[in-house]
Amino acid sequence: MAPLKKPAAAEPYRVPSLIESSPEYASLLVKQVELQTRYGELNTERGLLRREIEVAKAAGGKHPSLAVAALLGDNTEVSVAGLSKKLREVGTEMANVEAATEILRRRIDEARDAASKVVCDTVRQEYQRRLAALCEAARALEAAREEHDTLLDDVEREDVRLGYLPPVRPFFLGDRGQGHVHHFIREAKGAGYNV
């Protein structure tokens, strides 16, 4: 006798990512990482330049301008003036990266909105199916609750002391007939779903 084979399990539903749904969004995120990396490099360079300037100033002596240092044949790149110039250039580039990052953040927000619409359009049918199943289960729960409460009503009508039962009331469902299930289904219909 041949062993029974298990049926293949259905693949779980997978929501596409924003990156998969929008090449523009993906490229903007890559650019954002590049800018963050560049800003980090510049920040490190700025810290090193500040320390070098402090060391150069601590070494004493006069600090000639770049033009004077060049005429004297001094290494202008390690002079205080040269290091200060480089520090200003790094600061300017950091400001440019900050400005670009802010513009990029706005572009990412816009691209995220467009990509989100694509994802929502893609999952709409599956969402409708799952929402309908949830509403059906909620209606079944509400019907079971009504049967449960009707039995307790009948017992109470006979003036029975319920403490011997003891009953468990589903207060989490809200009021009978107008509780949370009713509001949930009305909200789903109000959102345009046929449930």
mmCIF file of all heavy atoms in Angstrom, residues 120 124 127-128 131-132 135 182-195:
data_model
loop_
_atom_site.group_PDB
_atom_site.id
_atom_site.type_symbol
_atom_site.label_atom_id
_atom_site.label_comp_id
_atom_site.label_asym_id
_atom_site.label_seq_id
_atom_site.Cartn_x
_atom_site.Cartn_y
_atom_site.Cartn_z
ATOM 1 N N CYS A 120 -2.340 49.000 -2.254
ATOM 2 C CA CYS A 120 -3.745 48.864 -1.844
ATOM 3 C C CYS A 120 -4.612 48.349 -2.994
ATOM 4 O O CYS A 120 -5.497 47.517 -2.774
ATOM 5 C CB CYS A 120 -4.280 50.186 -1.309
ATOM 6 S SG CYS A 120 -3.599 50.608 0.316
ATOM 7 N N ARG A 124 -6.655 44.788 -2.686
ATOM 8 C CA ARG A 124 -8.066 45.109 -2.444
ATOM 9 C C ARG A 124 -8.977 43.876 -2.494
ATOM 10 O O ARG A 124 -9.817 43.671 -1.623
ATOM 11 C CB ARG A 124 -8.558 46.157 -3.441
ATOM 12 C CG ARG A 124 -9.963 46.668 -3.138
ATOM 13 C CD ARG A 124 -10.364 47.835 -4.004
ATOM 14 N NE ARG A 124 -9.370 48.887 -4.104
ATOM 15 C CZ ARG A 124 -9.120 49.798 -3.166
ATOM 16 N NH1 ARG A 124 -9.801 49.772 -2.043
ATOM 17 N NH2 ARG A 124 -8.199 50.721 -3.341
ATOM 18 N N TYR A 127 -8.389 41.678 0.507
ATOM 19 C CA TYR A 127 -8.918 42.352 1.694
ATOM 20 C C TYR A 127 -10.440 42.241 1.734
ATOM 21 O O TYR A 127 -11.023 41.957 2.785
ATOM 22 C CB TYR A 127 -8.505 43.822 1.732
ATOM 23 C CG TYR A 127 -9.065 44.517 2.940
ATOM 24 C CD1 TYR A 127 -8.533 44.289 4.207
ATOM 25 C CD2 TYR A 127 -10.162 45.368 2.833
ATOM 26 C CE1 TYR A 127 -9.068 44.883 5.324
ATOM 27 C CE2 TYR A 127 -10.704 45.976 3.948
ATOM 28 C CZ TYR A 127 -10.157 45.733 5.194
ATOM 29 O OH TYR A 127 -10.709 46.318 6.306
ATOM 30 N N GLN A 128 -11.092 42.447 0.600
ATOM 31 C CA GLN A 128 -12.553 42.327 0.530
ATOM 32 C C GLN A 128 -12.989 40.931 0.960
ATOM 33 O O GLN A 128 -13.942 40.779 1.725
ATOM 34 C CB GLN A 128 -13.033 42.625 -0.900
ATOM 35 C CG GLN A 128 -14.489 42.287 -1.165
ATOM 36 C CD GLN A 128 -15.473 43.196 -0.454
ATOM 37 O OE1 GLN A 128 -15.226 44.374 -0.315
ATOM 38 N NE2 GLN A 128 -16.588 42.639 -0.012
ATOM 39 N N LEU A 131 -12.415 40.602 4.784
ATOM 40 C CA LEU A 131 -13.370 41.421 5.522
ATOM 41 C C LEU A 131 -14.754 40.779 5.495
ATOM 42 O O LEU A 131 -15.455 40.751 6.518
ATOM 43 C CB LEU A 131 -13.424 42.833 4.940
ATOM 44 C CG LEU A 131 -14.394 43.795 5.629
ATOM 45 C CD1 LEU A 131 -14.005 44.014 7.091
ATOM 46 C CD2 LEU A 131 -14.444 45.114 4.890
ATOM 47 N N ALA A 132 -15.137 40.242 4.355
ATOM 48 C CA ALA A 132 -16.437 39.573 4.250
ATOM 49 C C ALA A 132 -16.493 38.368 5.190
ATOM 50 O O ALA A 132 -17.504 38.142 5.869
ATOM 51 C CB ALA A 132 -16.703 39.141 2.809
ATOM 52 N N CYS A 135 -16.882 39.682 8.732
ATOM 53 C CA CYS A 135 -18.255 40.149 8.980
ATOM 54 C C CYS A 135 -19.213 38.974 9.129
ATOM 55 O O CYS A 135 -20.117 39.004 9.973
ATOM 56 C CB CYS A 135 -18.705 41.090 7.860
ATOM 57 S SG CYS A 135 -17.876 42.689 7.914
ATOM 58 N N HIS A 182 -22.655 45.388 15.284
ATOM 59 C CA HIS A 182 -23.502 46.233 14.433
ATOM 60 C C HIS A 182 -22.711 47.442 13.930
ATOM 61 O O HIS A 182 -22.744 47.774 12.748
ATOM 62 C CB HIS A 182 -24.739 46.683 15.233
ATOM 63 C CG HIS A 182 -25.553 47.724 14.544
ATOM 64 N ND1 HIS A 182 -26.402 47.429 13.501
ATOM 65 C CD2 HIS A 182 -25.621 49.069 14.724
ATOM 66 C CE1 HIS A 182 -26.968 48.544 13.078
ATOM 67 N NE2 HIS A 182 -26.511 49.556 13.810
ATOM 68 N N HIS A 183 -21.977 48.085 14.814
ATOM 69 C CA HIS A 183 -21.195 49.272 14.433
ATOM 70 C C HIS A 183 -20.067 48.898 13.466
ATOM 71 O O HIS A 183 -19.787 49.647 12.527
ATOM 72 C CB HIS A 183 -20.633 49.968 15.672
ATOM 73 C CG HIS A 183 -21.685 50.572 16.537
ATOM 74 N ND1 HIS A 183 -22.496 51.602 16.123
ATOM 75 C CD2 HIS A 183 -22.077 50.278 17.809
ATOM 76 C CE1 HIS A 183 -23.342 51.926 17.093
ATOM 77 N NE2 HIS A 183 -23.106 51.125 18.121
ATOM 78 N N PHE A 184 -19.440 47.754 13.710
ATOM 79 C CA PHE A 184 -18.343 47.308 12.838
ATOM 80 C C PHE A 184 -18.853 47.056 11.420
ATOM 81 O O PHE A 184 -18.254 47.511 10.441
ATOM 82 C CB PHE A 184 -17.705 46.035 13.411
ATOM 83 C CG PHE A 184 -16.662 45.432 12.516
ATOM 84 C CD1 PHE A 184 -15.426 46.032 12.359
ATOM 85 C CD2 PHE A 184 -16.933 44.264 11.813
ATOM 86 C CE1 PHE A 184 -14.468 45.482 11.532
ATOM 87 C CE2 PHE A 184 -15.976 43.707 10.983
ATOM 88 C CZ PHE A 184 -14.740 44.319 10.848
ATOM 89 N N ILE A 185 -19.953 46.373 11.295
ATOM 90 C CA ILE A 185 -20.499 46.066 9.965
ATOM 91 C C ILE A 185 -20.979 47.348 9.284
ATOM 92 O O ILE A 185 -20.758 47.544 8.084
ATOM 93 C CB ILE A 185 -21.614 45.003 10.072
ATOM 94 C CG1 ILE A 185 -20.975 43.665 10.481
ATOM 95 C CG2 ILE A 185 -22.377 44.870 8.763
ATOM 96 C CD1 ILE A 185 -21.937 42.565 10.792
ATOM 97 N N ARG A 186 -21.593 48.250 10.031
ATOM 98 C CA ARG A 186 -22.005 49.533 9.453
ATOM 99 C C ARG A 186 -20.792 50.322 8.977
ATOM 100 O O ARG A 186 -20.828 50.942 7.904
ATOM 101 C CB ARG A 186 -22.794 50.330 10.500
ATOM 102 C CG ARG A 186 -23.400 51.597 9.893
ATOM 103 C CD ARG A 186 -24.292 52.333 10.848
ATOM 104 N NE ARG A 186 -23.467 52.831 11.935
ATOM 105 C CZ ARG A 186 -23.924 53.128 13.150
ATOM 106 N NH1 ARG A 186 -25.207 52.984 13.417
ATOM 107 N NH2 ARG A 186 -23.135 53.586 14.076
ATOM 108 N N GLU A 187 -19.687 50.284 9.724
ATOM 109 C CA GLU A 187 -18.462 50.973 9.297
ATOM 110 C C GLU A 187 -17.898 50.369 8.020
ATOM 111 O O GLU A 187 -17.447 51.085 7.128
ATOM 112 C CB GLU A 187 -17.422 50.907 10.423
ATOM 113 C CG GLU A 187 -16.150 51.658 10.126
ATOM 114 C CD GLU A 187 -15.140 51.578 11.253
ATOM 115 O OE1 GLU A 187 -15.515 51.297 12.416
ATOM 116 O OE2 GLU A 187 -13.952 51.798 10.969
ATOM 117 N N ALA A 188 -17.922 49.029 7.931
ATOM 118 C CA ALA A 188 -17.418 48.351 6.736
ATOM 119 C C ALA A 188 -18.259 48.747 5.513
ATOM 120 O O ALA A 188 -17.719 49.024 4.427
ATOM 121 C CB ALA A 188 -17.421 46.840 6.926
ATOM 122 N N LYS A 189 -19.567 48.792 5.679
ATOM 123 C CA LYS A 189 -20.449 49.200 4.573
ATOM 124 C C LYS A 189 -20.208 50.672 4.228
ATOM 125 O O LYS A 189 -20.201 51.031 3.045
ATOM 126 C CB LYS A 189 -21.914 48.971 4.949
ATOM 127 C CG LYS A 189 -22.301 47.517 4.938
ATOM 128 C CD LYS A 189 -23.760 47.341 5.319
ATOM 129 C CE LYS A 189 -24.142 45.863 5.279
ATOM 130 N NZ LYS A 189 -25.543 45.642 5.655
ATOM 131 N N GLY A 190 -20.005 51.501 5.243
ATOM 132 C CA GLY A 190 -19.749 52.919 5.010
ATOM 133 C C GLY A 190 -18.440 53.154 4.260
ATOM 134 O O GLY A 190 -18.300 54.152 3.562
ATOM 135 N N ALA A 191 -17.477 52.234 4.402
ATOM 136 C CA ALA A 191 -16.198 52.343 3.692
ATOM 137 C C ALA A 191 -16.317 51.844 2.262
ATOM 138 O O ALA A 191 -15.338 51.851 1.527
ATOM 139 C CB ALA A 191 -15.120 51.580 4.450
ATOM 140 N N GLY A 192 -17.512 51.393 1.883
ATOM 141 C CA GLY A 192 -17.734 50.985 0.495
ATOM 142 C C GLY A 192 -17.607 49.483 0.235
ATOM 143 O O GLY A 192 -17.611 49.058 -0.914
ATOM 144 N N TYR A 193 -17.537 48.697 1.292
ATOM 145 C CA TYR A 193 -17.409 47.243 1.099
ATOM 146 C C TYR A 193 -18.781 46.597 1.126
ATOM 147 O O TYR A 193 -19.636 46.955 1.933
ATOM 148 C CB TYR A 193 -16.502 46.641 2.174
ATOM 149 C CG TYR A 193 -15.081 47.117 2.041
ATOM 150 C CD1 TYR A 193 -14.591 48.099 2.879
ATOM 151 C CD2 TYR A 193 -14.245 46.614 1.044
ATOM 152 C CE1 TYR A 193 -13.290 48.567 2.744
ATOM 153 C CE2 TYR A 193 -12.955 47.071 0.907
ATOM 154 C CZ TYR A 193 -12.479 48.040 1.757
ATOM 155 O OH TYR A 193 -11.197 48.502 1.624
ATOM 156 N N ASN A 194 -18.975 45.639 0.261
ATOM 157 C CA ASN A 194 -20.237 44.919 0.163
ATOM 158 C C ASN A 194 -20.165 43.712 1.091
ATOM 159 O O ASN A 194 -19.786 42.626 0.685
ATOM 160 C CB ASN A 194 -20.479 44.497 -1.295
ATOM 161 C CG ASN A 194 -21.820 43.833 -1.473
ATOM 162 O OD1 ASN A 194 -22.710 43.997 -0.648
ATOM 163 N ND2 ASN A 194 -21.945 43.059 -2.531
ATOM 164 N N VAL A 195 -20.511 43.945 2.347
ATOM 165 C CA VAL A 195 -20.423 42.849 3.353
ATOM 166 C C VAL A 195 -21.780 42.563 3.936
ATOM 167 O O VAL A 195 -22.654 43.358 3.988
ATOM 168 C CB VAL A 195 -19.434 43.212 4.487
ATOM 169 C CG1 VAL A 195 -18.038 43.238 3.941
ATOM 170 C CG2 VAL A 195 -19.775 44.525 5.139
#
